Amino acid sequence: MSISLFLSSLLTLVSLNCENLFDCRHDSLKNDYEWLPEGTNRWTQTRYWHKLNNIGREILACGEQWGDFSSENTRNSTKKSEKSTWKLPDLVALSEIENDSVLRDLTKRSLLRNARYEYVTTNSPDVRGIDVALLYSPFTFRLLNHHAIRVEPLKDMRPTRDILYASGQVVSGDTLHVFVVHAPSRSGGEAVTQPHRLQVAERLCEAVDSVFRLHKAAKILVAGDFNDYADNKSIHRIEEGGLTDISRHATGRNGAKATYRFQGEWGSLDHIFASEAMTACMAECYVFDAPFLLEDDETYGGVKPRRNYNGPNYMNGFSDHLPLVARFRFHEK
């Protein structure tokens, strides 16, 4: 098989919580004061552009070099191929993005600009003004439809992020349905806020079920920050809805045992779910923990994500979450 044919059958999805990717301007309808130049985080234009370029660098690095698959070379081979090429991620699910202007800067003006990504995003009632987005390569994902799915808050629940839905045609000719989620945080206590995340899971399952009703063998991917671990109720509810958590056992290659580390303990609040038709196409799913995304954990030992802020202290890092990377191989029709 030629390398061009092999690459055309591959699809890479990245899921990343960007850790407060705000611009430096106040939205009069949102509580974004700490992310202003005069705010508690002293969020200046310089820091903003450092952050954009860091996130762009991180996304680019989640691509992978592929060699000449017509020979005995594989992507794990140390032997260089004259026909090797760098394949960028096709889809990038992002959370903690403030607005459309941030996405425009990220895709058109940062280090990511030559990748020529397009994007769709939500405009949620979240009080801080953060949203989710999907970056996509128009060369490998032809956008067909997209819309936001509102999550009605419970009585004691603040308005939360919309779920983003997008469908598109991939190079194999298949239609792929993608959902991007950022569930409510655990602020206030895990037990107290658990019903809030269950509410998001229920709304997601309703939307996924509507796709399954149209096509039982639909190709569906769900990605994002669910603020719950694999053994929590909201994750079980999503799995009961006909999806598989393909990231359940994902680890990194440089010491990360999950995407997030809290008080020395690794755990994944980030997940990628797939329908049966997509699970059958999965080649791999792992935590992308390149050394430049890590730093030594001086308190607990080992390594941890190199975040952008540690409390009020600016670290000029990337995010407190590491990306998940999932690769799929579509079968020829």
Side-chain angles (χ1 to χ4, degrees):
M1 181 187 296
S2 70
I3 189 169
S4 59
L5 286 175
F6 189 89
L7 290 175
S8 69
S9 69
L10 296 173
L11 182 135
T12 299
L13 168 70
V14 173
S15 181
L16 173 63
N17 180 314
C18 295
E19 188 198 353
N20 297 313
L21 186 47
F22 283 78
D23 62 23
C24 303
R25 297 180 297 275
H26 175 53
D27 183 335
S28 61
L29 301 177
K30 302 296 182 180
N31 181 15
D32 60 358
Y33 295 103
E34 62 181 326
W35 297 102
L36 300 174
E38 64 275 15
T40 55
N41 290 320
R42 297 290 186 264
W43 192 236
T44 63
Q45 283 285 334
T46 299
R47 292 182 175 185
Y48 170 63
W49 282 102
H50 275 306
K51 174 78 170 184
L52 284 173
N53 284 324
N54 280 349
I55 294 297
R57 178 187 175 193
E58 185 171 3
I59 291 170
L60 291 172
C62 287
E64 194 151 6
Q65 187 164 354
W66 294 84
D68 181 359
F69 281 84
S70 62
S71 69
E72 295 180 354
N73 293 338
T74 68
R75 65 188 180 88
N76 293 319
S77 174
T78 58
K79 187 185 298 182
K80 293 184 179 180
S81 168
E82 294 181 358
K83 296 183 180 180
S84 66
T85 187
W86 187 261
K87 187 179 189 302
L88 296 175
D90 302 280
L91 301 168
V92 185
L94 298 176
S95 54
E96 290 200 17
I97 298 287
E98 185 182 17
N99 52 35
D100 182 87
S101 66
V102 168
L103 289 161
R104 186 170 59 251
D105 286 342
L106 177 65
T107 57
K108 309 304 180 187
R109 302 177 66 192
S110 77
L111 287 176
L112 206 57
R113 61 188 179 274
N114 289 331
R116 300 171 68 182
Y117 283 116
E118 301 295 335
Y119 64 85
V120 288
T121 186
T122 55
N123 185 17
S124 303
D126 177 81
V127 295
R128 294 178 62 224
I130 57 175
D131 279 291
V132 298
L134 180 71
L135 308 188
Y136 64 93
S137 169
F139 307 106
T140 56
F141 183 84
R142 184 169 68 86
L143 186 68
L144 299 174
N145 187 21
H146 71 93
H147 60 263
I149 301 169
R150 185 58 47 91
V151 178
E152 292 299 323
L154 301 175
K155 184 177 181 181
D156 62 341
M157 176 181 169
R158 295 190 307 180
T160 190
R161 277 77 61 171
D162 291 344
I163 299 168
L164 175 63
Y165 165 78
S167 64
Q169 187 178 51
V170 295
V171 291
S172 65
D174 296 283
T175 297
L176 178 62
H177 305 267
V178 184
F179 296 85
V180 185
V181 177
H182 186 189
S185 76
R186 296 179 164 217
S187 178
E190 187 276 331
V192 173
T193 57
Q194 177 180 274
H196 305 168
R197 291 181 293 281
L198 271 172
Q199 179 76 346
V200 172
E202 290 289 349
R203 188 68 185 93
L204 171 66
C205 288
E206 290 174 5
V208 168
D209 188 58
S210 68
V211 176
F212 277 136
R213 284 200 299 269
L214 293 173
H215 184 28
K216 291 182 179 180
K219 289 181 165 61
I220 301 173
L221 292 175
V222 180
D225 179 357
F226 293 79
N227 273 306
D228 265 338
Y229 301 107
D231 58 351
N232 290 132
K233 291 182 178 180
S234 69
I235 305 304
H236 291 319
R237 176 65 187 95
I238 295 168
E239 292 177 317
E240 289 170 357
L243 301 175
T244 298
D245 185 356
I246 61 173
S247 59
R248 175 177 287 268
H249 302 295
T251 59
R253 298 164 179 174
N254 293 292
K257 297 179 181 178
T259 61
Y260 186 75
R261 200 173 198 216
F262 180 69
Q263 295 182 350
E265 296 293 328
W266 286 101
S268 281
L269 299 172
D270 311 277
H271 303 268
I272 296 176
F273 299 88
S275 63
E276 183 178 355
M278 283 304 291
T279 302
C281 298
M282 189 184 77
E284 60 182 347
C285 184
Y286 63 93
V287 177
F288 184 72
D289 62 342
F292 71 87
L293 295 177
L294 303 172
E295 63 183 5
D296 292 335
D297 190 333
E298 297 179 357
T299 303
Y300 298 100
V303 293
K304 62 181 180 179
R306 184 184 164 197
R307 59 189 305 168
N308 202 39
Y309 271 84
N310 186 9
N313 300 316
Y314 176 63
M315 311 300 290
N316 191 21
F318 296 82
S319 173
D320 54 348
H321 292 241
L322 294 169
L324 280 172
V325 178
R327 304 191 196 280
F328 304 87
R329 186 177 304 161
F330 291 104
H331 303 294
E332 294 184 32
K333 292 185 175 181

